[in-house]
C-alpha cells in the first residue's frame, strides 16, 4: 500500500519523492505501507492550501460545517471494522481496543457536529444606556495538528473535528508509526465532501515536518499530543513564533486502593489501567498505591491475573496485550527495567522481552509488576509508556494522596474506596486533570474536558466544549444605538 500527502484536495508524493515505511509491530517483516518523507517545501504547499481554503471555509455557516463532520461520523461507522483491523496491524493494539479507538472518533464526530448548532457566545449588559454588548467565537485560521501513534484515529478526531467546526482549516501531521491509519481517516474527510484545502495531510518526521509547521508564519495554532520533553520544545518555539499552542503531554498516573475498597473491582481496574494498550496511554496506570492492610492480598490477586494475560497479535481476538509500537519503545521499556533493578525495585512478574513462538518477530514486553518501589525512584517518577506498574505501600489515606500528587505530571488519577468522605476529599485534593472514583485511570469520554496540570500540559483542555476555547478566539462586539458618543467610565458616572 502507498500512502500520500493530501494537499489542496490532491493525493501527492513528497516533492523529493522520498519515502518512509510503516511496519507491523507484532511481526516487523510485514510492510504495511510506504508514505512520503516530506520536508519544508511540502509544508509550504500545505500551508498555502489551508490559508486559501480558510478564506471561504470560515464563512460556511457553523451548522453546515457540523454536517460535514456528521458525515465523517457516518463514514467512520461504515468503515469501522476495516479501520480497526488496519490499526491493529499497524500499531499492534488488540482488535477490541482498536474498535474502541474508532468508536471514540465516531463519538467525537456526533458531539462536534452538534456543536455546529451551538458555538454559544455571550451577551453582557453594557454600562451605558442604548448600547448592546456581546462576545462571539471566531476561528483562528490554520491549525497544525501533530498527533501520536497510540490513538491513531481518536486523537486526530479530537483535534480535527472541533478545529473544523469552529471554522479553521487544518494540516494533520500524524505519527510515523501510524501513517496508514491517518491516510484512511483523511480519505474519509475527503469522502464527506469537504472542500479542497480544508483538511491537509503531511506525512514525515517530526524533526522536519513538525519543525517546519512550528516555524511557518502561515500557521496560527499548534496542537500537540506527545511527550513532555517534545512538548516543552514545541511550547518554546511557539512562544518565539507567536502561535497559540495546546499541549497534551505525559502522565505518571496512580491508582490508590484503600483497605475498604472492593478488591475485585480494584483488581480489574488496575489490570486494565496498567496493561490496556500495553501501557501506551498517557492515562495509563503506572503506580499502584496500596494500603498496607490489603497490599499482600491485592498483590497476590494481581500476580495471578497478570500471569494469565495472553500476549499476541492485535488481530487475534484472544489477545489481551499486544506488542509495543516499535523497537525504540521496546528499548526504552527494557532500559527502565534495568534502572528499576539497579535502584532496588523487585520484579514480581515480567520484566523481559518476549520472543517465544509467534512473538518472535514482534516488539513484545511482558506485563511487569515492580515491588519495593519508593516514591523517589526513577520508575516511580518518570513516564515509562509500557506495561510496567510500580507498587507503593502506604499506611493512611492522606499519605496515599500526598504520594499520588508527588510527581511533576498531573493527568489522570484513581481512588478505590467505599468511603464517601474519602471520595470527596480525593476529588478536592488530587492534583490532576482527571480523577476517577472506583474506576481505572484510563477511559476518558469525548464530551468531557481532557487534559492535565503541571508538566502534563499548558493549561488547555481538549474534548468536550473546552476544546472550543482552544480553537476559537473571543471577539467582543459593542453596538451603540444611542446615536451619540458615550464615553465609557466617564459619561456613565456623571
Ligand atoms: C492518550 O493516551 O493520549 O482516556 C489518550 C483514555 C483514552 C484517551 C487516551 N480515551 O485512556
Amino acid at each position: 500500500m502507498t500512502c500520500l500527502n493530501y494537499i489542496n484536495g490532491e493525493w501527492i508524493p513528497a516533492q523529493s519523492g522520498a519515502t518512509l515505511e510503516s511496519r507491523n509491530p507484532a511481526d516487523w517483516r510485514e510492510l504495511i505501507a510506504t508514505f512520503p518523507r516530506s520536508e519544508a517545501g511540502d509544508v509550504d504547499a500545505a500551508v498555502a492550501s489551508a490559508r486559501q481554503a480558510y478564506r471561504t471555509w470560515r464563512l460556511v455557516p457553523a451548522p453546515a460545517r457540523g454536517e460535514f463532520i456528521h458525515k465523517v461520523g457516518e463514514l467512520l461507522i461504515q468503515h469501522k471494522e476495516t479501520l480497526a483491523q488496519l490499526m491493529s496491524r499497524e500499531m499492534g493494539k488488540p482488535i477490541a481496543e482498536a474498535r474502541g479507538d474508532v468508536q471514540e472518533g465516531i463519538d467525537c464526530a456526533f458531539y462536534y457536529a452538534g456543536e455546529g448548532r451551538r458555538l454559544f457566545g455571550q451577551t453582557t449588559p453594557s454600562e451605558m444606556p442604548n448600547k448592546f454588548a456581546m462576545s462571539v467565537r471566531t476561528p483562528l485560521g490554520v491549525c497544525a495538528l501533530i498527533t501520536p501513534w497510540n490513538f491513531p484515529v481518536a486523537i486526530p478526531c479530537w483535534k480535527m473535528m472541533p478545529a473544523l467546526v469552529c471554522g479553521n482549516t487544518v494540516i494533520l501531521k500524524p505519527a510515523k508509526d501510524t501513517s496508514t491509519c491517518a491516510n484512511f481517516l483523511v480519505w474519509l474527510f475527503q469522502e464527506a465532501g469537504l472542500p479542497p484545502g480544508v483538511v491537509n495531510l503531511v506525512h514525515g518526521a517530526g524533526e522536519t515536518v513538525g519543525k517546519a509547521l512550528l516555524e511557518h508564519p502561515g500557521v496560527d495554532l499548534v496542537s500537540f499530543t506527545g511527550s513532555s520533553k517534545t512538548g516543552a520544545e514545541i511550547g518554546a518555539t511557539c512562544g518565539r513564533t507567536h502561535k497559540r499552542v495546546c499541549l497534551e503531554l505525559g502522565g505518571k498516573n496512580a491508582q490508590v486502593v484503600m483497605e475498604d475498597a472492593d478488591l475485585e473491582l480494584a483488581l480489574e481496574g488496575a489490570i486494565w489501567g496498567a496493561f490496556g494498550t500495553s501501557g501506551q496511554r498517557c492515562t495509563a496506570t503506572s503506580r499502584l498505591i496500596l494500603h498496607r492492610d490489603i497490599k499482600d492480598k491485592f498483590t497476590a490477586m494481581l500476580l495471578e491475573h497478570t500471569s494469565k494475560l495472553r500476549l499476541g497479535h492485535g488481530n487475534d481476538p484472544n489477545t489481551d496485550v499486544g506488542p509495543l509500537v516499535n523497537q525504540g519503545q521496546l528499548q526504552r521499556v527494557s532500559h527502565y527495567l534495568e534502572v528499576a533493578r539497579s535502584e532496588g525495585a523487585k520484579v514480581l512478574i515480567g520484566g523481559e522481552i518476549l520472543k517465544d513462538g509467534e512473538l518472535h518477530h514482534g516488539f513484545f514486553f511482558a506485563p511487569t509488576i515492580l515491588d519495593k518501589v519508593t516514591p523517589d525512584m526513577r520508575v516511580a517518577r518518570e513516564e515509562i509508556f509500557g506495561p510496567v506498574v510500580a507498587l507503593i505501600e502506604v499506611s493512611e489515606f492522606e499519605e496515599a494522596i500526598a504520594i499520588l500528587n508527588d510527581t511533576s505530571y498531573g493527568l489522570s488519577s484513581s481512588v478505590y474506596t467505599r468511603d464517601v468522605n474519602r471520595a470527596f476529599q480525593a476529588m478536592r485534593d488530587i492534583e490532576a486533570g482527571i480523577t476517577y472514583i472506583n474506576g481505572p485511570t484510563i477511559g476518558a469520554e469525548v464530551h468531557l474536558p481532557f487534559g492535565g496540570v503541571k508538566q502534563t500540559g499548558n493549561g488547555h483542555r481538549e474534548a468536550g466544549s473546552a476544546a472550543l476555547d482552544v480553537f476559537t478566539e473571543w471577539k467582543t462586539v459593542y453596538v451603540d444605538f444611542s446615536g451619540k458618543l458615550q464615553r465609557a467610565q466617564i459619561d456613565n458616572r456623571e
Side-chain angles (χ1 to χ4, degrees), residues 40-103:
D42 303 292
V43 169
D44 285 342
V47 175
S49 150
R51 286 237 74 85
Q52 178 65 25
Y54 176 62
R55 293 158 68 131
T56 42
W57 181 247
R58 75 185 180 90
L59 301 177
V60 173
R65 295 194 299 250
E67 281 169 26
F68 281 108
I69 306 300
H70 195 277
K71 180 77 188 152
V72 177
E74 288 170 346
L75 289 164
L76 276 167
I77 291 176
Q78 202 179 315
H79 295 279
K80 181 173 176 179
E81 190 57 25
T82 316
L83 193 43
Q85 293 287 350
L86 172 67
M87 188 189 301
S88 234
R89 275 175 57 222
E90 187 171 44
M91 180 268 168
K93 68 170 73 175
I95 186 65
E97 290 187 39
R99 291 187 189 114
D101 193 317
V102 181
Q103 185 58 46

Side-chain angles (χ1 to χ4, degrees), residues 104 150-151 155 158 225 280-283 436 442-444 450:
E104 212 167 320
N150 65 340
F151 278 84
I155 293 182
W158 283 12
T225 298
Q280 300 172 113
R281 295 194 191 207
C282 53
T283 49
Y436 293 90
I442 67 175
F450 182 93

Side-chain angles (χ1 to χ4, degrees), residues 3-5 12-14 17-20 34-38 183 202-205:
C3 296
L4 293 167
N5 288 339
I12 50 173
T19 56
L20 292 164
T34 60
F35 59 94
R37 190 168 75 194
S38 313
N183 233 74
V202 184
H203 291 287

Side-chain angles (χ1 to χ4, degrees), residues 257 288-292 294-295 298-299 391-394:
V257 184
L288 278 172
I289 301 173
L290 308 176
H291 191 275
R292 66 172 176 207
I294 51 91
K295 175 154 183 275
F298 193 71
T299 305
L391 308 186
I392 301 173
E393 181 178 313
V394 291

Side-chain angles (χ1 to χ4, degrees), residues 208-225:
T208 44
V209 177
K211 192 162 179 298
L213 286 166
L214 304 183
E215 297 285 350
H216 205 296
V219 170
D220 301 286
L221 168 140
V222 175
S223 174
F224 169 77
T225 298

